[in-house]
Every structure is written in structure tokens, then in C-alpha cells.
Amino acid sequence: MTTKTGGRRERLRKATLQEIHEAARTLLVEQGAAAVTINAVARAVGMSGPSLYHYYAGHEALVGAVTADFFDELATAMEQARDTRAEAPVGERILTVCRAMRTWAIAHPAEFGWIFAAPITPLNQKPDSERHQAGQRFERVLLDLTIELWQTRPFPVPALTDLPASLHEQLIAYSASIGDQLPPAAAHVFLSCWIRLYGLLCMEVLHQLDFAYSDLEPVFEECLRDLTGILGLVSPATSPA
């Protein structure tokens, strides 16, 4: 009886957490990030603000959990796109994942904007936090493909001596943080590509380029072509019709 009761309570708790997350997402999409408050979410699920604290310690904890959901959803979309091309060369899988990331972001601008507003690894988040782990999962999708590319077909890298000393030191630290799977110079190339790709996508989703472009897909594809050159890919995959 105790086991059955405990299992039922756990199922009810999970269902309530899902309802809370869905309410927070609805508020975000319909009213913006400022509307996602403890009291507003509580009202949306039919409970009092103090009752919500039985599930989350406060607003920051709620935001972290919902952000983890978004990271996981985006990572899943990218992983599924990658896996549909499991037999394709790694370069084609990289481009497929990049396009999947853009597709999800455009379809979920509020959620992507929420993700963009907070760093993948916030300084105040513990490494084992749900949000941290979900952010790391998202980050690893393209990183792991780049590592695979480096191990099978090393791409051109700059001489470390040509980089500023402070940058050199940071790249060594970053390389160590990913288990030295990319040497510092290769990590610099990966991060440069990531900054360009993610930066363009953020500007598109946040409508920072609307003054010049009504359709940014050709610009995104041009960016991918440039990245294929940087990564030494000979035959970049063409954009889907």
C-alpha cells in the first residue's frame, strides 16, 4: 500500500509540474517574460502563490526548470535531425543540425528568446542543476559533431602564436573543460563558427535585422556556406527545396 501511495503521489507531482511548466510557457508566449511570475503561474494552474513554493523555492528555480525544458526540446529537435542523416558524412550532419536549430527557433521565438536571455551555464547554477545539464546537452550536439569532424578530417586552424595571449589562455582552459577533445586552436575555430551561427540566428529571431531583410533564409544559407569553407568541407549540402 505504501508503495502504491508513493507512486501515485509521484505521478500527481509530475503532472502538476508539467501543468506549471505549460502555464509558464503560455504566459511567456502570450504576454512576454515579465508576465511569468510566481503568482501569475499559480493563478493559471488554480493554486495560491504560497502553494507553488511547495514545488519551486522561488522565481529563479521556476525559470531554471522551464529553461531546461526549452533547452531539452531544442536539443531533441537537433538530435533527431542529426539521426535522420546518421549515414551521411559528418559535414552534412552538421549542416542538417544547424538548419534544425533555425527551424525550431523560428517556430518558437519566445522560447528561444528566453534561452538567449540567459547563459547556458549561469555562474550561480550548480553543475548538476537541471538547467545546467540541459544547456550542456544542447551545446554538445554541434560540439560532438565538430569533434568527430576534427578526428576524421582535421580542419585548418590558426597558429596559437598569432592569437592574443589572453585568448590563448582562455582557449586552453576551454579545451581542458571539454576533455581536450579539441586542441585550443581547433576550439577557437569551433567557437568562432558557433558565435557567427548563433549570433545570426539570435538577430533573426529577435528581429534585429528587419530593417533590411524580410527573409533571412538566404543569409543563413550563405553563413552555412562560409562555415563549410572554414571547416574545410569540400561539398556542402544544398539547402532543402
Side-chain angles (χ1 to χ4, degrees):
M1 178 65 69
T2 301
T3 301
K4 290 182 178 179
T5 301
R8 181 173 180 273
R9 287 177 178 172
E10 183 60 25
R11 289 194 299 273
L12 288 173
R13 180 176 178 81
K14 288 182 178 179
T16 302
L17 287 172
Q18 182 176 354
E19 189 177 359
I20 290 170
H21 289 200
E22 289 174 352
R25 186 173 196 164
T26 298
L27 286 166
L28 170 68
V29 171
E30 295 182 355
Q31 301 181 40
V36 186
T37 65
I38 289 289
N39 288 334
V41 173
R43 284 195 300 272
V45 297
M47 65 172 64
S48 66
S51 295
L52 196 61
Y53 287 103
H54 291 299
Y55 297 91
Y56 291 108
H59 182 261
E60 183 177 346
L62 172 63
V63 168
V66 175
T67 303
D69 281 353
F70 297 159
F71 271 129
D72 278 333
E73 189 175 312
L74 174 53
T76 295
M78 294 165 68
E79 290 165 350
Q80 290 176 343
R82 175 200 63 198
D83 294 344
T84 61
R85 304 294 307 280
E87 303 303 319
V90 62
E92 292 185 22
R93 280 180 277 137
I94 288 174
L95 299 181
T96 297
V97 164
C98 291
R99 292 181 180 122
M101 181 168 69
R102 179 174 181 267
T103 297
W104 188 91
I106 290 174
H108 305 89
E111 294 90 331
F112 188 79
W114 179 292
I115 288 175
F116 175 70
I120 291 177
T121 309
L123 295 177
N124 62 341
Q125 289 286 313
K126 297 179 180 179
D128 60 347
S129 73
E130 184 180 12
R131 172 177 168 175
H132 175 86
Q133 292 177 348
Q136 290 292 300
R137 176 189 171 193
F138 161 64
E139 185 179 33
R140 292 291 313 196
V141 180
L142 275 172
L143 175 59
D144 287 345
L145 287 170
T146 306
I147 290 170
E148 180 184 346
L149 176 63
W150 175 256
Q151 292 174 344
T152 55
R153 265 183 63 181
F155 41 83
V157 299
L160 285 180
T161 53
D162 293 339
L163 300 176
S166 62
L167 186 58
H168 186 181
E169 294 169 1
Q170 294 174 77
L171 291 170
I172 291 174
Y174 175 73
S175 179
S177 74
I178 59 173
D180 295 312
Q181 292 176 293
L182 286 176
H188 176 63
V189 173
F190 164 70
L191 291 170
S192 297
C193 291
W194 176 249
I195 290 167
R196 181 167 180 179
L197 177 74
Y198 195 63
L200 175 60
L201 186 52
C202 289
M203 293 186 74
E204 177 178 11
V205 173
L206 298 177
H207 301 286
Q208 296 300 306
L209 294 171
D210 286 2
F211 68 91
Y213 298 106
S214 59
D215 176 16
L216 270 162
E217 183 174 3
V219 179
F220 188 81
E221 288 298 321
E222 182 180 24
C223 176
L224 293 186
R225 286 193 295 272
D226 290 344
L227 297 188
T228 61
I230 293 171
L231 295 173
L233 303 176
V234 177
S235 301
T238 57
S239 174

